[in-house]
Amino acid sequence: MSALDAELAQHRRWKLKPRFAGTRMFDRILENEFRSPDEHFEREARALRQMLRFAANQTAYYADLFARLGLTLGDIEALPDLAKLPVLNKHDVLDSKDALSARRLPDGLKPGKVTRSSGTTGRRVAVMHSSNRRMVFSLLLHRNVRWAELDPMGKRLDVRATGELKRFADGAPDPDAELGVRDGWLGLSEFFHTGPDYAFNVRNPMELQVEWVERIQPDYVMSYPTVFEEWLPATEGRKPAESIRMLIGIGAQMTPSLRRALQKAYGA
């Protein structure tokens, strides 16, 4: 089986919901993976030129920047030409918030949500998104799970910090909440039929974490590598749920030694 055939087989496991049955966005992402380097370079360059043209025409910041540097849009034709522009840093975003805001959005787009940094350096950065930002997140998330060969109808479990649990409940997150439940996988169930999604607070006692894993019997568990490391002594090396097919480490490095220990103990 060729690489393309293998990816197509994984892709067919994901069934779009009726209202998205005609969309080809997810198909195009897959097709792009098998384009030639020359095709990638040309498509990338074309998208870059389109983005810069919009930025220069619709934001005061980039209009002023091009004028100050004596550049025209024709001076940046492909990715290597970006070296002619200074890096946009955090202080630029803070000091030029209004100048960086587009006067209008491309046709078909609407203003979306605002993302804010944690403010650990003293000043919180706010970044505005257009309405298609959520779609891009879902496109990339779907590609990740397809590459990992996850079964979309499996049970998924997230063990996360409190702030992540707010997406599993109405209103503000409950720091004492044990478990959050959704009918489908966060970020994907809007478009696809999926199995259920569970999440619980990483602050819950380790004994309670293991108890919930045993009760839920998830196929896939996502958490920080340190959590998986703590599970090993907590479960005395036994698999906390026979259903577990994959452990997905996020937010920190999954060291080779921890990977080997988990694979040996859990067979996942």
Side-chain angles (χ1 to χ4, degrees):
M1 180 183 292
S2 69
L4 175 57
D5 289 337
E7 288 302 327
L8 286 171
Q10 291 299 324
H11 187 52
R12 284 192 288 268
R13 301 175 75 182
W14 292 82
K15 307 300 182 185
L16 286 165
K17 291 184 174 179
R19 68 192 184 101
F20 292 104
T23 184
R24 291 202 69 251
M25 291 177 292
F26 296 96
D27 302 271
R28 288 200 295 269
I29 287 288
L30 188 150
E31 292 164 1
N32 286 343
E33 295 168 23
F34 294 90
R35 296 185 187 279
S36 70
D38 287 342
E39 285 182 288
H40 272 297
F41 183 82
E42 177 52 37
R43 291 166 65 89
E44 181 183 72
R46 187 165 60 248
L48 174 63
R49 292 192 295 268
Q50 181 181 2
M51 180 180 68
L52 284 176
R53 185 166 58 251
F54 175 84
N57 291 333
Q58 297 300 328
T59 71
Y61 179 90
Y62 280 101
D64 294 343
L65 180 64
F66 272 79
R68 188 167 69 250
L69 297 176
L71 295 174
T72 68
L73 289 174
D75 292 321
I76 302 179
E77 291 289 321
L79 197 62
D81 296 329
L82 278 178
K84 299 174 183 178
L85 296 178
V87 173
L88 182 71
N89 62 46
K90 178 177 181 177
H91 297 290
D92 295 328
V93 177
L94 285 167
D95 298 335
S96 305
K97 175 184 175 182
D98 293 336
L100 281 165
S101 297
R103 299 182 184 94
R104 69 170 184 82
L105 294 178
D107 293 341
L109 295 185
K110 298 178 181 178
K113 294 183 178 180
V114 176
T115 298
R116 291 180 172 82
S117 67
S118 60
T120 54
T121 59
R123 298 175 67 187
R124 298 184 68 184
V125 175
V127 178
M128 297 179 65
H129 298 280
S130 62
S131 54
N132 71 341
R133 180 262 182 188
R134 186 170 53 127
M135 170 61 74
V136 172
F137 175 80
S138 295
L139 287 168
L140 298 178
L141 180 58
H142 175 254
R143 185 176 65 180
N144 285 348
V145 298
R146 172 167 52 80
W147 282 355
E149 301 184 3
L150 273 59
D151 178 359
M153 300 313 297
K155 294 180 184 178
R156 192 176 73 168
L157 169 65
D158 282 351
V159 184
R160 297 288 190 101
T162 306
E164 297 294 326
L165 295 184
K166 64 185 179 182
R167 291 180 287 185
F168 285 81
D170 295 330
D174 178 1
D176 299 317
E178 289 185 7
L179 185 72
V181 184
R182 291 172 54 92
D183 291 336
W185 293 13
L186 187 66
L188 290 171
S189 60
E190 178 181 353
F191 303 97
F192 297 98
H193 295 284
T194 74
D197 208 8
Y198 300 85
F200 52 66
N201 195 336
V202 73
R203 291 170 51 188
N204 287 325
M206 187 57 55
E207 297 80 4
L208 187 59
Q209 291 186 31
V210 174
E211 179 183 328
W212 274 117
V213 174
E214 292 174 341
R215 189 179 305 182
I216 294 170
Q217 291 288 310
D219 297 284
Y220 310 109
V221 183
M222 181 182 293
S223 190
Y224 317 111
T226 51
V227 169
F228 295 140
E229 188 171 21
E230 292 171 351
W231 281 10
L232 289 169
T235 60
E236 299 180 341
R238 65 179 176 81
K239 196 171 184 178
E242 287 302 318
S243 60
I244 294 177
R245 292 188 253 174
M246 186 180 297
L247 300 174
I248 304 169
I250 58 171
Q253 182 183 7
M254 178 77 78
T255 62
S257 59
L258 177 57
R259 183 187 299 274
R260 287 193 297 270
L262 291 169
Q263 288 175 335
K264 180 180 179 180
Y266 298 160

